[in-house]
Amino acid sequence: MNIIDLHGTWDFHSADNIYKGSLPVPGTVFQALEKQGVFGKGGIFHREENRKCPDIAHRDFIFERSVTIPAGFLTGNNRRVFLECDGLDTLATIFVNGKKAGYADNMHVGWRFDVTTFLKTGDNKLRIVFDDTVEFITERQKKRELWGVNDALKGYAHIRKSHCSYGWDWGPQIPDVGIWRNIRLAAYDGARLDEVHVTQKHTRTAVTLTIDTKMDIWAQDDYKLKLTFITPDGERSTTYHSAGDTITIEVKDPEIWWPNGYGDQPLYTVTAELLRNEESINEISQRIGLRTMTVRRKKDKWGESFEFHVNGVSIFAMGGDYIPEDVFLTRVTRERTERLVRDCAKANYNCIRVWGGGIYPSDDFYDLCDEYGLVIWQDLMFACATYDVSNKAFYDSIALEARYNLTRIRHHASLGLVCGNNEMEWGFVAWGFPKPPVSKTEYLKQYQMLFPSIIEEVCPYVFYWPASPSSGGDFDDPNGENKGDAHYWEVWHGNKPFSDYRNKYFRFMSEFGFESFPSMKTIKTFALPEDMNIFSPVMEDHQRCGSGNGKILNYVAQYFRYPKDFDSLVYVSQLSQAEAMRFGVEHWRRNRGRCMGAVYWQLNDNWPVASWASIDYFGRWKALHYAAKRFYCPTLISCEEKGHTATLTLSNESRDKLTGTVAWKLVTMNGKTIRAGKKAASANALSSKEIVKLDFSKELAGNRDRDTILAYSFTDAESKDVFDGTVAFVPYKTLTLPEPSLSFTMKKDETGRIAIDVRAKAFAKFVEIDVPAGDIQLSDNYFDLAPGAVKRVYIEEISGITAAALAKKISVRSLVDTFNG
């Protein structure tokens, strides 16, 4: 195979010539216009500049470039040359030397056009006309009105383009245009290897791999297949086969892939190379993990279980919902994605849900989930809408899309489940989706007929689930508590208190969430000092959930004292978010077996915004992500307080039995011990166990609960690691928090890591360590500190500031600082 890469500079202009220039490819219109200064010095995210985008997008755009074809590129043994476009966004007509060579209408699909007869040696002209998608969806919506969310441009469901590019309740309306993935000319002689399909059969001591290939052959000849197999430790074996043969490999004493927290993630490599008369045509390489995985649904006393079952072990899924990493899809690099995935693993995720209103992520994303052990819940890209499935062209397009992407990702060890859509079965039942029978018929045709048939054809070993939430389909109680998965939004949208989570025993929570503001450093990237009021136009523009800032303030009022300034409000909003999620996750982990998953909404942002994310647009960890590291830890000691009683539960999400000591101490804010105790404790592998019930009614009578907290811990007998927490018996706003006189020292420990030791003379709630300029990522943050205690945290990442300057720049504060002084 010979390749001419079509990256580099392309010219572009709008059909009306108002917008024009050049841009790097992969690249898009709005990226280029931002660079030109169309959105001012601050860029497209600054203040309310993003509001210009729908109007700019409401026109056709043309991309053009010349390409020189060298002598010999077009000649070969039955050679064909293809224009291979991995991502065109979205309605694209392709011209080569003035002749139409193809048309694309789905951004989620890679396109290949035979351009052999269009090219010539020497200079060639490529031209791609991108039709106005805003006009397209507007006109289609007039012909047939489809239901969709109010935050997006109407009609978004008519086009196979990232839905959230038209807006969502966390994202701006920036329907970008362009070449968003790789593009190239590829020449093949006589044939091309199209697909490699590896399946696994497991026995107690071995795994048998079956490798099938699919080829496009247009000239008969002596084709061979060279197969290379590489073990995790680099041992390589190579065999040769006739083209089209089914190949088997027996792996004895296999190294088994496990999700994060349950074992290692060894990966094998299978490379198939198509040869013609010993000359290489092309190859496909896949990394695979040897494992079994499905979703187990089993009748029980509560209804029906719903749990990932990996290598014979049912795991409690812990993670977050993933959305596109950036409004500008071409700005996402492997390094940036790896940072996000690594941050998930650091926070003890073992699962990540790819939400259905964005894009199918890059190959890098799936490779990295394999490496870091994150089980993927993969939505197909359909969300919160009805679809024109009766339209044959649309039906054929979504079939192509599903087949293309499932073929692309099916080999990944991390792929745990494929789900038909986000919230649409539930929408028919609870949201007032259109009632005409045709809409429900189309739904069933798409999600319970078409997609299951494609799964059966492409990857029958992957578990398919029709919708999220769902109890299994057919509009049967799709958000029920006793079977399937659920989305629960009464905390937040329903204004119910955090404790309401404890009233629910869902089998698998695939979506629940709570908003906060991003850090002040992030806010300063889009807001001026005069904008820093949560109800200013700019702050409300960077909040796309209707009345969201008011909801944040409402919940702050329920649990916290009114913050003294804007910076304090931002900080407290993150504490509120972290506490809400902690209430839910700890409750569901205490009920392991009945509930087998807690995946919160959401992991990340695609622009700087107030949202449900635990990591903001710039990769900064909010308080929630640090809290997730604690409440997703395989070893968790948690407390359920009720009135003046407390129940301590030990959760063990490892494959080994846990033994040690649980200790507790009821103390005043200044460190006086009122009552203390400890107890030997154990929890079997993959279980939760109630350890002790405590009643402090006598000790806390007469408002003494305002000056008292319960500190509790579990010490692992083997590792000596300590896992701890605190609980108050009244809302935090009621506590008589003293000034803790926080101090810190910084030094390198014996391993060379930079350690920060934080001290408190009195109880300190939600201690935050930060720097005003630059960024640091810590081993722990937003933690509680007992009177007289010393907490050591490590700096894991530094950016924008030198280690030498760090000690003078670090700031430390706690909850009391938000309303005192």
Side-chain angles (χ1 to χ4, degrees):
M1 177 176 64
N2 293 305
I3 295 287
I4 295 178
D5 197 322
L6 297 177
H7 291 187
T9 302
W10 288 59
D11 295 323
F12 79 96
H13 65 274
S14 58
D16 55 13
N17 277 315
I18 294 176
Y19 302 101
K20 63 181 70 175
S22 60
L23 78 170
V25 164
T28 60
V29 166
F30 284 112
Q31 261 186 289
L33 295 182
E34 182 180 56
K35 190 173 181 180
Q36 288 178 12
V38 169
F39 304 101
K41 291 182 179 180
I44 202 167
F45 299 150
H46 189 60
R47 306 195 84 200
E48 299 175 79
E49 289 294 318
N50 68 91
R51 297 286 182 180
K52 299 175 180 177
C53 294
D55 178 67
I56 294 173
H58 200 350
R59 64 202 75 218
D60 297 348
F61 282 90
I62 295 91
F63 282 43
E64 296 174 308
R65 69 159 289 170
S66 296
V67 58
T68 300
I69 303 295
F73 184 80
L74 299 176
T75 58
N77 190 357
N78 302 112
R79 176 163 293 187
R80 290 184 182 177
V81 180
F82 296 86
L83 176 64
E84 297 180 341
C85 313
D86 294 343
L88 298 174
D89 186 7
T90 292
L91 305 176
T93 306
I94 297 93
F95 297 89
V96 178
N97 292 322
K99 297 178 180 179
K100 181 179 176 180
Y103 177 73
D105 63 356
N106 189 324
M107 78 170 291
H108 301 302
V109 171
W111 298 90
R112 180 183 288 124
F113 306 103
D114 188 339
V115 293
T116 309
T117 60
F118 297 94
L119 294 169
K120 64 182 188 296
T121 299
D123 188 53
N124 292 259
K125 302 292 185 184
L126 300 183
R127 186 169 184 258
I128 303 178
V129 178
F130 289 96
D131 294 342
D132 179 349
T133 68
V134 177
E135 178 72 14
F136 179 86
I137 64 173
T138 300
E139 291 304 310
R140 288 295 179 95
Q141 186 73 350
K142 289 177 183 177
K143 294 177 181 177
R144 182 181 180 188
E145 185 175 354
L146 297 178
W147 192 95
V149 297
N150 293 327
D151 309 283
L153 297 180
K154 291 189 181 300
Y156 66 83
H158 283 286
I159 191 171
R160 295 314 298 147
K161 174 176 169 63
S162 171
H163 286 352
C164 63
S165 69
Y166 292 107
W168 217 259
D169 60 2
W170 38 258
Q173 296 177 353
I174 305 180
D176 214 346
V177 182
I179 303 169
W180 72 287
R181 281 182 170 159
N182 294 336
I183 184 169
R184 64 199 158 270
L185 290 169
Y188 304 86
D189 288 345
R192 179 184 60 249
L193 178 62
D194 275 348
E195 295 179 15
V196 173
H197 190 190
V198 183
T199 55
Q200 306 177 19
K201 183 177 181 180
H202 289 244
T203 64
R204 188 171 58 85
T205 59
V207 176
T208 301
L209 303 179
T210 301
I211 299 126
D212 290 296
T213 57
K214 182 178 178 182
M215 286 161 278
D216 182 12
I217 298 175
W218 55 86
Q220 295 304 313
D221 209 329
D222 182 25
Y223 296 103
K224 299 291 185 185
L225 200 66
K226 176 183 176 182
L227 191 80
T228 303
F229 183 67
I230 306 173
T231 65
D233 61 5
E235 184 179 338
R236 179 186 298 260
S237 60
T238 301
T239 54
Y240 293 85
H241 310 268
S242 297
D245 281 0
T246 294
I247 304 161
T248 59
I249 298 174
E250 186 177 16
V251 184
K252 295 181 179 179
D253 300 318
E255 297 181 55
I256 299 301
W257 184 95
W258 286 95
N260 183 38
Y262 300 90
D264 296 328
Q265 294 80 44
L267 295 170
Y268 295 77
T269 302
V270 175
T271 301
E273 184 179 7
L274 182 62
L275 305 176
R276 183 185 190 187
N277 300 320
E278 309 305 321
E279 293 290 327
S280 176
I281 297 178
N282 71 309
E283 68 175 37
I284 295 174
S285 187
Q286 297 179 348
R287 290 191 309 167
I288 62 170
L290 306 183
R291 54 82 174 131
T292 62
M293 191 183 321
T294 189
V295 171
R296 187 163 75 170
R297 301 166 65 200
K298 186 177 180 180
K299 300 292 184 183
D300 57 24
K301 62 182 179 181
W302 301 293
E304 182 180 87
S305 66
F306 191 95
E307 57 201 39
F308 283 111
H309 198 65
V310 187
N311 302 323
V313 173
S314 289
I315 70 169
F316 188 102
M318 303 182 289
D321 293 297
Y322 168 93
I323 66 169
E325 295 173 48
D326 203 308
V327 163
F328 297 135
L329 300 175
T330 57
R331 200 144 61 185
V332 179
T333 62
R334 181 184 175 90
E335 291 72 25
R336 181 170 168 182
T337 299
E338 180 164 20
R339 180 185 178 187
L340 184 64
V341 172
R342 183 174 62 244
D343 285 349
C344 292
K346 282 184 178 180
N348 295 307
Y349 279 39
N350 59 37
C351 181
I352 190 168
R353 174 178 172 238
V354 179
W355 171 73
I359 60 168
Y360 300 91
S362 67
D363 293 337
D364 290 333
F365 173 84
Y366 297 97
D367 285 340
L368 290 164
C369 288
D370 291 343
E371 291 177 18
Y372 286 92
L374 301 186
V375 173
I376 298 172
W377 174 307
Q378 176 68 60
D379 282 3
L380 300 179
M381 291 301 113
F382 304 89
C384 302
T386 54
Y387 294 89
D388 191 13
V389 179
S390 296
N391 179 332
K392 185 179 184 304
F394 185 88
Y395 179 88
D396 291 344
S397 181
I398 62 175
L400 172 67
E401 173 188 322
R403 191 172 287 108
Y404 170 85
N405 284 286
L406 291 172
T407 299
R408 179 169 70 92
I409 68 176
R410 64 189 173 190
H411 66 279
H412 286 282
S414 54
L415 182 61
L417 175 157
V418 170
C419 176
N421 70 78
N422 175 74
E423 296 189 337
M424 286 151 51
E425 184 183 5
W426 185 28
F428 275 102
V429 173
W431 295 2
F433 269 18
K435 300 302 183 187
V438 64
S439 298
K440 279 194 171 183
T441 300
E442 288 174 304
Y443 177 93
L444 295 170
K445 182 178 180 182
Q446 182 173 354
Y447 302 109
Q448 294 185 212
M449 296 174 66
L450 174 62
F451 292 158
S453 70
I454 293 174
I455 288 276
E456 184 63 27
E457 169 198 337
V458 174
C459 47
Y461 40 84
V462 176
F463 182 86
Y464 175 75
W465 192 237
S468 181
S470 180
S471 293
D474 296 328
F475 309 105
D476 175 25
D477 193 18
N479 202 32
E481 193 170 344
N482 296 318
K483 61 179 180 177
D485 74 308
H487 296 187
Y488 189 67
W489 284 103
E490 288 304 302
V491 178
W492 181 256
H493 285 304
N495 293 312
K496 289 192 175 181
F498 302 162
S499 58
D500 184 64
Y501 286 129
R502 293 175 175 172
N503 299 324
K504 302 297 178 181
Y505 297 86
F506 297 105
R507 308 313 302 264
F508 192 108
M509 278 302 302
S510 53
E511 196 175 298
F512 65 107
F514 197 93
E515 277 201 352
S516 73
F517 296 109
S519 76
M520 282 297 296
K521 283 173 279 194
T522 295
I523 291 171
K524 288 176 181 178
T525 66
F526 65 79
L528 299 176
E530 59 264 35
D531 301 322
M532 292 185 186
N533 179 301
I534 65 169
F535 299 118
S536 72
V538 168
M539 289 301 296
E540 290 199 327
D541 182 62
H542 287 255
Q543 162 63 273
R544 293 306 171 97
C545 174
S547 69
N549 289 353
K551 284 184 182 294
I552 290 174
L553 198 58
N554 171 52
Y555 274 102
V556 166
Q558 292 181 44
Y559 296 96
F560 300 91
R561 298 188 189 185
Y562 192 80
K564 64 185 180 182
D565 53 30
F566 183 77
D567 178 47
S568 297
L569 176 55
V570 168
Y571 164 56
V572 171
S573 79
Q574 293 195 16
L575 305 182
S576 183
Q577 179 189 38
E579 280 294 280
M581 296 297 92
R582 180 186 67 81
F583 264 76
V585 174
E586 289 186 350
H587 166 67
W588 292 313
R589 286 196 64 183
R590 286 192 288 267
N591 289 277
R592 190 194 198 280
R594 186 172 184 179
C595 179
M596 287 300 288
V599 179
Y600 63 74
W601 184 269
Q602 67 203 63
L603 167 62
N604 60 309
D605 285 325
N606 70 345
W607 75 312
V609 64
S611 80
W612 297 273
S614 62
I615 299 178
D616 78 16
Y617 174 73
F618 293 103
R620 297 181 175 118
W621 287 27
K622 295 183 183 179
L624 169 55
H625 210 72
Y626 284 103
K629 187 176 182 179
R630 295 188 289 269
F631 60 59
Y632 282 159
C633 182
T635 300
L636 173 69
I637 181 74
S638 66
C639 178
E640 181 175 3
E641 77 290 351
K642 201 169 186 178
H644 289 156
T645 66
T647 302
L648 300 181
T649 299
L650 182 62
S651 298
N652 177 18
E653 199 53 36
S654 76
R655 294 192 291 139
D656 298 309
K657 186 176 181 178
L658 197 60
T659 60
T661 303
V662 169
W664 61 90
K665 184 163 59 173
L666 190 70
V667 296
T668 67
M669 297 296 171
N670 289 307
K672 180 183 177 181
T673 299
I674 300 172
R675 179 177 157 192
K678 63 182 179 179
K679 183 178 181 180
S682 65
N684 290 331
L686 307 167
S687 73
S688 284
K689 182 180 179 182
E690 183 181 296
I691 303 300
V692 64
K693 286 185 176 180
L694 303 166
D695 189 340
F696 300 112
S697 299
K698 181 179 178 181
E699 291 87 349
L700 297 180
N703 287 334
R704 280 178 286 181
D705 50 10
R706 297 181 180 182
D707 186 48
T708 310
I709 56 101
L710 176 68
Y712 52 89
S713 65
F714 170 75
T715 302
D716 188 312
E718 183 176 349
S719 70
K720 308 305 179 186
D721 290 335
V722 178
F723 307 86
D724 57 15
T726 68
V727 68
F729 295 91
V730 293
Y732 301 129
K733 66 182 180 181
T734 311
L735 292 176
T736 55
L737 291 170
E739 169 52 53
S741 299
L742 291 169
S743 62
F744 72 91
T745 56
M746 193 172 79
K747 63 181 181 180
K748 286 189 177 180
D749 72 359
E750 60 278 5
T751 68
R753 295 188 297 168
I754 300 175
I756 302 173
D757 291 332
V758 185
R759 297 170 176 80
K761 292 183 179 179
F763 177 66
K765 187 72 181 172
F766 299 124
V767 176
E768 178 201 61
I769 304 169
D770 199 7
V771 289
D775 287 291
I776 54 174
Q777 189 183 104
L778 303 168
S779 59
D780 197 8
N781 210 349
Y782 303 96
F783 49 82
D784 296 345
L785 202 52
V790 179
K791 170 83 172 183
R792 170 164 288 189
V793 299
Y794 290 96
I795 296 176
E796 298 188 340
E797 292 184 19
I798 306 175
S799 62
I801 188 171
T802 64
L806 205 54
K808 296 179 181 179
K809 298 293 185 181
I810 284 178
S811 65
V812 181
R813 64 175 167 178
S814 68
L815 181 60
V816 71
D817 296 310
T818 67
F819 56 84
N820 277 359

